[in-house]
Amino acid sequence: MPPAADADRQLADPKQEADAKRLMETLRCLVCQGQSIADSDAEMAGDMRALVRQRIAAGESPAQVRQWLIERYGAYVTYDPPMTSSTAPLWLAPLVLLAIGGLVAARSFKRRRR
């Protein structure tokens, strides 16, 4: 299938296009998973780029478009998922691991002093 009509067509308003590009760089391609929709050549990424541009051209803010995509595809669609009960472990795990590392280091230094 050919890519969506607005997938690679820039918006006429430079500010809207800049907003759309910034948003597209923060959204994960659901097919590639390792690339943003701005960088992916997958058909679905093209469709998502078109949706972002269409909604921003219609007057929605990038935050509204981002929220709509999260509601439609889930928090996984964004590289910066919102804090919810299902994403809390993703946000809290690094802090817990850092605290454990700090405790291990502190105990190791205390043992060396004795």
Side-chain angles (χ1 to χ4, degrees), residues 66-83:
R66 180 178 182 271
Q67 185 58 41
W68 179 80
L69 287 166
I70 290 171
E71 289 169 7
R72 185 169 182 176
Y73 297 111
Y76 184 75
V77 76
T78 179
Y79 285 116
D80 186 19
M83 177 75 107

Side-chain angles (χ1 to χ4, degrees), residues 9 20 25 28 41-42 49 60 66 71 84 99-101:
R9 185 181 313 146
E25 290 170 356
R28 184 187 320 265
D41 291 330
R49 285 193 304 271
E60 290 185 44
R66 180 178 182 271
E71 289 169 7
T84 63
I100 291 170

Side-chain angles (χ1 to χ4, degrees), residues 6-83:
D6 294 331
D8 297 313
R9 185 181 313 146
Q10 292 189 354
L11 296 172
D13 181 348
K15 183 192 178 313
Q16 285 183 330
E17 180 62 23
D19 288 344
K21 282 190 176 186
R22 271 193 303 277
L23 178 59
M24 286 185 264
E25 290 170 356
T26 67
L27 299 171
R28 184 187 320 265
C29 173
L30 299 174
V31 175
C32 306
Q33 298 178 3
Q35 290 182 302
S36 70
I37 65 171
D39 299 328
S40 175
D41 291 330
E43 183 179 333
M44 183 162 195
D47 292 342
M48 291 174 73
R49 285 193 304 271
L51 282 170
V52 167
R53 283 191 171 107
Q54 289 165 1
R55 293 179 85 87
I56 286 181
E60 290 185 44
S61 72
Q64 290 171 315
V65 176
R66 180 178 182 271
Q67 185 58 41
W68 179 80
L69 287 166
I70 290 171
E71 289 169 7
R72 185 169 182 176
Y73 297 111
Y76 184 75
V77 76
T78 179
Y79 285 116
D80 186 19
M83 177 75 107

